[in-house]
Every structure is written in C-alpha cells, then in structure tokens.
Amino acid sequence: MKIVYPIILAAVTRKKEEEVEFSGDVEALINFLCEKYKGLKKVLYNKEGFNKFINIYVNNEDIRNLNGFETEVKANDTVKFIPAIAGG
Amino acid sequence: MSDIILTQEQIKRYARQLIMPEIGGKGQVKLLKSKAIVVGAGGLGSAAIQYLAGAGVGKIGIVDGDSVDITNLQRQTIHAGNLGMNKAESAAKFVKTLNPDVEVEVYPENVNVNNVRDIIREYDVVVDCTDNFPSRFLLNDACVMEKIPLVHSAVLRFIGEIMTIVPDSACYRCVFPEAPPPGSVPSCQEAGIAGVATGIFGVMQATEAIKLILGLEILENKMLYADLLTMEFDLIDIRKDRNCPVCSGKVKDLQEESYVETCRIE
C-alpha cells in the first residue's frame, strides 16, 4: 500500500511517500510505521492521544467517516496523513 | 436584480464573461451588486483580489494590518512599487487602477475577537487569506455565527488546500478540530512557500467566491488538496461533525481564550 507523508512527517521519514507491505487496521499501521521510523510517534501523538490537527485519509476518505483507527487497510490502498497548515 | 443597467463601457470591459452562459448579463449584475471581503492581502490575498476586481465584484473589503516588505514581492505581486505601504492600502490602489467599477473598503488592521464580526457582517462572502491558525479559526467561527459563506485556503511550500464553508455545511473546525501547538507545523517563514502556490490557490479562492455569488457549484463539503510538485489533486469529501462546538450552534460568541495555542474550544 502507498503511504503519503506530509512535510512534518517527511522530516522524520526522509521521504514523501513509500510502498509498504502491510495488512491490518490503521492503528496497527501507525504502530508499524512508528517502529520503522524513530521519532514519528512524537510528531503524531501528544500526551492526550493522536494529534487532532492531523487527519488520516484512506483512499481520500477521512477515517473518521470510516471505522476510525479500526479502519482496515489493504494492499492497493493509499493512506495519506494531512496536517492543518496555515500559510497564506 | 435588473435595476443595474450595464453601461457601454461595462459591456466592453466584461465582454469575455458576458458571452459565457454561466455569467451573462444577469450574472454580471449579480457580481456588480455583490460584496466580498478578503482578509489578508499577502500571497493568497494578492492573487484573489486581482481576479475579484477584474470580474467586477461591486465592493471589495481588504483587511491587513501589515506593510509591504521586500520578502513579500516574490509572491505578492499586487504590491509592486509599494514597499513600506500598508498592504490593504496598497492592494486597494491596484484595484482602483484595474477597475473603477469596484468600490474598495480598506481595513488597515488585523482581525481579532473584538472587531471581526463587525468587519465581515455587511459582506456576502469572506475570503480567508490569512497566514496563521488563530486568525483562521477566528474567521471560521465568526462566519459560522454570522451565517456568511467563507472561502478557506492555506498553503505551505508546494502544498495547498481549499474549501468553501456555507451555512449548514461542514466547517473548518469539522475538518481540523484543533490547530497544531505553536512550533509543531512550520510556517511559510520557516519552511518556505512557492510563490506560484499562493497564486494558484488565491485565484482558486476568487473562483470559488465568484461561483458562490453566481450560484454555481462550489467546494461545499469538499476539500481540494493539491501537491503542485507532483500535480496530484485530491478532492476529499468532508462531513459535518455533529459534535463540532461551532457549527452545531453550541458556542454562540467568540471568546478570546479560544484563539490561543491550539484554538481548542472546550
């Protein structure tokens, strides 16, 4: 599956996107990526949980409109992390 | 609607859009009678203002408390030759030169909890071209409370997003309930901004505002997110959050403490 990283995550992953072999839900995928990239967890989470300024989209659908962090992802899916930006 | 009769000069000025079925004479009159306010005359604002003025939007409000700096000119082309001038004044000067049909109201200040509702109230559409999270959350909340459509856009490097918020649609807080804590997402000053990105998204904002005035299809409950490096454009469905403190109607007034740090509303 394709994972697309925004600027703030790419600073840790050193790539804007990649193909990973994974099946499971979004929460497990995030754990998998946090294992792969040290420092990713610090960007994604605060002490209250997953940061509310970062949205996760599976095939352009917000996971909040799917099954949240329990949304299943599979081989041909595209997972995008999109944080709020403010530049103008 | 037909109490404005186009002059011969206006028929010439707007000839290229008068022949379009989506605009025509009726649409042009609608545009000339409409009022749009652009908050922020920076990168996005510079681009949006030019095309709102060109199309003949009858009144344009321009809000900005900053003055033109040389680092702005890489993208804020509307301010050419106006170094040191207030940005709202500078943009107004451009509009007056381009199209004398347009009445311009200058607000040489930044929006805040105390002035924003009064500033936006008389307008048909608000165009958010600000450059910081507190202003963006503030404009969203004020527009929802005043039931005024808002065209939101934000950019960073080659990335941009745009969505149009109308009464009863999903609002900005439905998509991003909170702002990043200061320092966690870089600003354009820290990470950079491609001038073309502000141009493209600012012009898209003008497009949305013009379509909204004309009653054409807009990005309602949709966010367009684009990476101009790869030219990937994603149209993302967004949905109203029933628990959104603002567009659910729970919060009815702007509170100073809601526009600091993460802009969270408890």
Side-chain angles (χ1 to χ4, degrees), chain B residues 1 11 22 34 37 41-42 49 51 56 95 101 114-115 117 140 145 151 154 160 167 172-173 191 217 222 250 253-254:
Chain B
M1 261 304 160
I11 291 169
E22 295 84 356
S34 68
I37 184 161
I49 289 164
Y51 287 89
V95 173
D101 284 348
N114 301 316
N115 67 9
R117 290 182 75 166
N140 174 72
M145 287 170 191
V151 182
Y172 181 60
R173 272 190 197 275
E217 191 179 343
K222 284 185 172 67
K250 202 174 97 186
D253 290 307
L254 303 173

Side-chain angles (χ1 to χ4, degrees), chain A residues 2 6-8 16-17 48 51-55 57 60-62 64-65 80-88, chain B residues 43-44 130-133 136 154-157 174-178 180-181 184 186 188 225 227 234 236 239 264:
Chain A
K2 186 170 153 186
I7 293 164
I8 54 167
K16 283 183 68 180
E17 59 179 63
E48 292 171 19
N51 277 316
K52 288 188 177 173
F53 65 86
I54 302 173
N55 292 337
Y57 299 89
N60 285 340
E61 185 73 50
D62 190 329
R64 287 177 295 183
N65 302 325
K80 286 187 183 177
F81 294 87
I82 299 186
I85 53 173
Chain B
L44 292 171
T130 59
D131 62 357
N132 62 85
F133 285 108
R136 293 187 175 285
V155 287
L156 187 67
R157 291 190 180 166
C174 295
V175 184
F176 296 108
E178 290 179 17
S184 52
C188 292
Y225 183 86
D227 182 343
D234 295 319
I236 297 167
R239 303 211 184 144
R264 178 187 296 185

Side-chain angles (χ1 to χ4, degrees), chain B:
Chain B
M1 261 304 160
S2 56
D3 54 333
I4 293 183
I5 297 167
L6 298 178
T7 63
Q8 281 305 308
E9 191 181 315
Q10 286 174 325
I11 291 169
K12 278 189 196 162
R13 176 180 287 274
Y14 305 114
R16 298 295 182 274
Q17 60 195 48
L18 284 170
I19 56 167
M20 288 169 57
E22 295 84 356
I23 301 182
K26 271 190 180 171
Q28 191 59 55
V29 170
K30 273 189 195 174
L31 288 167
L32 287 165
K33 289 184 79 171
S34 68
K35 298 176 199 170
I37 184 161
V38 179
V39 185
L44 292 171
S46 290
I49 289 164
Q50 292 184 54
Y51 287 89
L52 292 172
V57 168
K59 180 172 178 179
I60 302 178
I62 305 173
V63 188
D64 204 313
D66 292 343
S67 49
V68 181
D69 179 87
I70 194 161
T71 60
N72 301 146
L73 298 179
Q74 156 255 19
R75 60 200 181 283
Q76 301 175 25
T77 52
I78 199 173
H79 301 307
N82 296 338
L83 280 176
M85 190 186 289
N86 169 270
K87 285 187 183 176
E89 299 278 3
S90 164
K93 206 173 142 195
F94 176 92
V95 173
K96 285 171 193 161
T97 308
L98 180 71
N99 189 351
D101 284 348
V102 181
E103 181 194 345
V104 191
E105 180 93 35
V106 169
Y107 303 85
E109 58 196 311
N110 293 327
V111 286
N112 59 50
V113 169
N114 301 316
N115 67 9
V116 67
R117 290 182 75 166
D118 286 338
I119 289 176
I120 66 171
R121 197 165 283 144
E122 72 157 298
Y123 292 91
D124 302 314
V125 56
V126 176
V127 186
D128 176 4
C129 300
T130 59
D131 62 357
N132 62 85
F133 285 108
S135 298
R136 293 187 175 285
F137 279 91
L138 178 67
L139 275 178
N140 174 72
D141 299 355
C143 286
V144 170
M145 287 170 191
E146 293 290 337
K147 297 186 167 52
I148 300 172
L150 169 70
V151 182
H152 160 97
S153 180
V155 287
L156 187 67
R157 291 190 180 166
F158 278 98
I159 298 282
E161 66 188 26
I162 176 169
M163 66 185 100
T164 298
I165 295 140
V166 293
D168 298 325
S169 75
C171 78
Y172 181 60
R173 272 190 197 275
C174 295
V175 184
F176 296 108
E178 290 179 17
S184 52
V185 170
S187 65
C188 292
Q189 207 172 342
E190 293 155 342
I193 176 69
V196 289
T198 60
I200 287 168
F201 279 88
V203 174
M204 282 205 268
Q205 284 183 286
T207 313
E208 282 292 286
I210 288 166
K211 287 190 298 171
L212 188 130
I213 292 162
L214 294 171
L216 301 173
E217 191 179 343
I218 49 167
L219 286 169
E220 177 183 349
N221 291 320
K222 284 185 172 67
M223 176 169 77
L224 178 69
Y225 183 86
D227 182 343
L228 301 173
L229 266 185
T230 55
M231 283 297 183
E232 272 182 72
F233 283 61
D234 295 319
L235 199 52
I236 297 167
D237 285 328
I238 55 175
R239 303 211 184 144
K240 202 171 170 72
D241 176 1
R242 273 177 294 171
N243 299 316
C244 173
V246 175
C247 70
S248 70
K250 202 174 97 186
V251 176
K252 291 184 169 50
D253 290 307
L254 303 173
Q255 304 292 338
E256 194 88 52
E257 62 270 21
S258 306
Y259 306 99
V260 290
E261 297 280 317
T262 61
C263 300
R264 178 187 296 185
I265 293 182
E266 300 292 351

Side-chain angles (χ1 to χ4, degrees), chain A residues 11-23:
Chain A
V12 177
T13 61
R14 302 276 166 208
K15 57 186 82 155
K16 283 183 68 180
E17 59 179 63
E18 68 176 327
E19 288 288 335
V20 297
E21 277 189 34
F22 179 86
S23 71

Side-chain angles (χ1 to χ4, degrees), chain A residues 22 24-30 45 50 54-58 61-73 77 79-81, chain B residues 239:
Chain A
F22 179 86
D25 65 15
V26 169
E27 183 155 19
L29 172 67
I30 293 171
Y45 292 87
F50 196 85
I54 302 173
N55 292 337
I56 304 171
Y57 299 89
V58 176
E61 185 73 50
D62 190 329
I63 61 162
R64 287 177 295 183
N65 302 325
L66 299 169
N67 231 348
F69 288 96
E70 289 170 23
T71 302
E72 291 291 321
V73 284
D77 289 344
V79 179
K80 286 187 183 177
F81 294 87
Chain B
R239 303 211 184 144

